[in-house]
Amino acid sequence: MKTRDRILAVSLDLFNRKGVAHVSTLIIATEMGISPGNLYYHFRGKDEIIATLVEELQNSLTRINQEYKEQVNVFDDYWPFLHTIMALFTHYRFLFRNLDNLNSQSPQIKRKIRTLILKLRTLSSEMLGHLAALGMLDTEEKNLPLIADNLLLVSLNWLNYQTLLDDKPSEDDLIRAGVLRLISMVEPYLSEEAQSPFYTHQDLVNELVP
């Protein structure tokens, strides 16, 4: 792995485990066994590392958006895409646990985060609109923007909520909870032919609110 890629991977791991505020470029360099000068050759500081990680996530979401309409033809196809998105959120969880602080940290990061949120807003709206176009949703078109925005709101905050309930959840548990929570928000609007064979409404209630 190239040094630049190693810096990003080690930084992401440290940010996720310790929190951005507790990780400096010196700590990153020490963890990697390289000099601070070697790190600064690739990144001019922690802000640039964070901005690059945000951009990585955005690029992954762009690929998902490009594949979504071709691969989702029935509601059961919707689950894997939500799983992929929640897995990405979990992989970059430092970002969603620190959105407010990071957004005020530097103009560079603020621009990256705003671009990311707008990308997520578009993705949420287009995914929901595609389900409606396939006849899987039983609601008026005028309701879709608010539903999509609520889905995004939950997506951005579910990690903090889950870790308040359990401060040491496994990644699998986090991803599953995120997927089921989004499904529970779409489920009341499903058309009759789109009802999931995997979960009834009561199943979702029992698992999400034990």
Side-chain angles (χ1 to χ4, degrees):
M1 183 184 291
K2 295 180 180 178
T3 301
R4 184 180 187 278
D5 295 333
R6 284 183 59 221
I7 292 171
L8 291 172
V10 170
S11 299
L12 177 60
D13 177 61
L14 289 171
F15 292 157
N16 282 342
R17 288 192 290 111
K18 299 187 176 187
V20 174
H22 301 290
V23 177
S24 65
T25 51
L26 179 59
I27 289 174
I28 296 168
T30 302
E31 181 80 8
M32 294 181 63
I34 63 175
S35 69
N38 195 350
L39 188 149
Y40 276 99
Y41 174 79
H42 297 279
F43 296 98
R44 287 171 291 182
K46 189 167 74 171
D47 285 357
E48 190 170 326
I49 294 174
I50 294 170
T52 303
L53 290 171
V54 175
E55 190 172 341
E56 276 188 358
L57 174 56
Q58 184 180 327
N59 290 340
S60 295
L61 291 167
T62 297
R63 288 193 293 272
I64 290 173
N65 198 23
Q66 291 169 345
E67 297 170 356
Y68 177 73
K69 290 184 180 179
E70 294 181 3
Q71 296 189 20
V72 173
N73 298 298
V74 295
F75 188 69
D76 290 347
D77 298 333
Y78 186 58
W79 291 68
F81 271 85
L82 290 183
H83 188 280
T84 300
I85 293 170
M86 293 296 100
L88 275 174
F89 279 26
T90 303
H91 186 62
Y92 293 92
R93 57 189 173 275
F94 82 91
L95 172 63
F96 299 99
R97 287 176 176 166
N98 296 275
L99 271 176
D100 286 344
N101 290 334
L102 289 174
N103 194 48
S104 60
Q105 191 159 319
S106 77
Q108 180 187 23
I109 294 176
K110 184 173 184 176
R111 287 193 300 270
K112 293 289 185 181
I113 289 178
R114 178 169 174 77
T115 301
L116 173 65
I117 298 303
L118 291 175
K119 170 69 70 176
L120 286 168
R121 197 177 194 186
T122 298
L123 178 60
S124 179
S125 180
E126 290 186 354
M127 290 180 77
L128 208 60
H130 182 61
L131 290 180
L134 292 173
M136 298 184 203
L137 298 181
D138 187 12
T139 186
E140 295 182 33
E141 186 175 350
K142 66 180 182 180
N143 296 329
L144 295 180
L146 180 58
I147 300 170
D149 242 28
N150 285 336
L151 286 169
L152 176 56
L153 182 62
V154 170
S155 299
L156 295 176
N157 292 282
W158 120 91
L159 270 169
N160 285 334
Y161 178 70
Q162 290 300 137
T163 50
L164 284 172
L165 294 176
D166 180 0
D167 60 356
K168 293 184 179 178
S170 70
E171 286 201 6
D172 286 344
D173 287 342
L174 280 175
I175 294 167
R176 181 178 178 81
V179 171
L180 292 180
R181 201 158 291 282
L182 294 182
I183 290 292
S184 73
M185 296 179 69
V186 176
E187 188 257 351
Y189 301 100
L190 291 179
S191 60
E192 188 173 342
E193 58 269 23
Q195 296 294 324
S196 173
F198 300 117
Y199 279 91
T200 65
H201 177 77
Q202 192 58 49
D203 290 329
L204 293 169
V205 171
N206 292 342
E207 181 151 355
L208 292 172
V209 193

